[in-house]
Amino acid sequence: MFPDKLNIPLGKSVNALVDWLVVNYGDAFEAFADTLLTVLVWLEHLLQAPTGG
């Protein structure tokens, strides 16, 4: 079904890019993920808190 002529080998290039990003910016990604997780957990607790009524 899919056109056989449309074959773009992106696997190696994408893997190399992801490896480079992890090596050079891994700490920044981890810090961002930790911050986002903290905000989401806080929001979850806020939404699950019993109401005053």
Side-chain angles (χ1 to χ4, degrees):
M1 279 276 191
F2 198 76
D4 293 331
K5 294 180 182 180
L6 187 60
N7 185 9
I8 303 170
L10 293 176
K12 289 182 181 181
S13 299
V14 171
N15 283 339
L17 174 63
V18 170
D19 288 342
W20 182 83
L21 286 171
V22 169
V23 167
N24 291 292
Y25 296 102
D27 292 337
F29 289 139
E30 188 171 350
F32 176 76
D34 289 345
T35 302
L36 182 61
L37 179 61
T38 301
V39 170
L40 291 174
V41 168
W42 176 82
L43 180 61
E44 179 184 27
H45 288 290
L46 179 70
L47 293 172
Q48 291 181 347
T51 59

